[in-house]
Amino acid sequence: MDYKLFKSINQLSGRCTPIDFLMIFLSKKVRYVFAFVMIFMWFRKTSDKKAVYCAGISSGITLLINKVIKLFYYRPRPFIKHRVGILIPSKVDSSFPSKHTLLVFAISTSIFLQERLLGSIMWILSLLTGFSRIWVGHHYLTDIISSALIGSITSVMVNKAFSFCKLFSINFQKYTK
C-alpha cells in the first residue's frame, strides 16, 4: 500500500520542468528559508525569542531521535527497492525517518505555538517539503507522515517543558525573596 501511494505521487515527477524545479528547491533548499525566518524572528521582538529557543531545542532533539532510530531500524529508500524516478541524488541510508521533514515540522510547530499566522505559513511550507521528498523519490508517504508527527510532538513537548520551567522559576523567585 505504501509503495502504491508513493508511486502515485512519484510517477508525476519528470513531466513538468517548472514543478520539478519547485520540488527540488523545496526538497533541498527550503531549510534556508526556515533559518531566515528564525533569524528574522530573533531580531523582530522579544516575544518571538521563545519560539526560536523552542525551535532550536526541538530541532536538536529531533536530530537525536533521528540518529537513535537509524541505529536500530533500517528501511531501504524507494529507489533502492524499486525502479523509480529520482530527480536528485540521495544518500542510501534509511528512508525512515526523513531528517528534512523532522526538522521543518519541529521548527514550524514551534513557531505555530507562538505565532499562529506565521506558523501556519511555515506549516504549509513543511507539508510541501514533505510532499517534495516523495516527489523527488527519496521517501515513502508513511516516512513523511511519521516524521511530521515526531517533529511536531517533540515541539509541543519542548514548548510545554519551556512553559513549565518558566512558570516554576517565576514562582520560585517569588518565594525566595
Side-chain angles (χ1 to χ4, degrees):
M1 177 72 169
D2 203 17
Y3 175 66
K4 286 181 183 180
L5 291 170
F6 165 82
K7 192 174 176 181
S8 67
I9 295 168
N10 179 256
Q11 72 183 357
L12 300 172
S13 68
R15 294 182 182 195
C16 180
T17 305
I19 294 176
D20 287 344
F21 179 76
L22 175 66
M23 292 300 163
I24 291 169
F25 172 79
L26 288 168
S27 185
K28 289 180 70 174
K29 305 293 184 189
V30 81
R31 61 183 168 216
Y32 300 116
V33 173
F34 279 78
F36 175 76
V37 168
M38 287 177 56
I39 291 168
F40 174 75
M41 289 180 72
W42 181 261
F43 289 109
R44 193 171 69 173
K45 59 183 178 182
T46 350
S47 64
D48 289 342
K49 288 188 186 330
K50 178 182 176 185
V52 177
Y53 279 127
C54 288
I57 293 168
S58 298
S59 297
I61 292 171
T62 57
L63 285 174
L64 181 66
I65 291 169
N66 180 52
K67 291 280 187 195
V68 170
I69 290 172
K70 288 191 182 228
L71 280 175
F72 296 103
Y73 181 75
Y74 176 79
R75 181 179 191 190
R77 292 186 182 256
F79 60 85
I80 294 174
K81 285 187 80 173
H82 309 283
R83 287 184 57 97
V84 299
I86 58 171
L87 295 179
I88 51 177
S90 175
K91 295 178 182 176
V92 291
D93 62 346
S94 181
S95 180
F96 175 77
S98 166
K99 184 167 60 172
H100 288 82
T101 308
L102 283 170
L103 290 173
V104 295
F105 272 94
I107 293 169
S108 62
T109 302
S110 293
I111 293 171
F112 178 80
L113 292 171
Q114 300 306 312
E115 193 171 317
R116 299 282 193 224
L117 179 62
L118 182 59
S120 297
I121 293 167
M122 299 303 288
W123 242 75
I124 291 167
L125 199 54
S126 296
L127 289 168
L128 289 171
T129 302
F131 184 79
S132 74
R133 302 297 292 166
I134 302 166
W135 186 279
V136 299
H138 292 189
H139 294 282
Y140 294 101
L141 180 62
T142 54
D143 299 335
I144 300 303
I145 293 170
S146 302
S147 298
L149 285 171
I150 292 169
S152 296
I153 290 169
T154 302
S155 289
V156 169
M157 291 172 62
V158 165
N159 187 60
K160 293 286 185 196
F162 190 91
S163 296
F164 179 76
C165 289
K166 188 174 180 183
L167 176 70
F168 179 73
S169 68
I170 290 170
N171 287 339
F172 183 72
Q173 289 173 359
K174 184 172 137 180
Y175 293 115
T176 57
K177 289 186 178 183

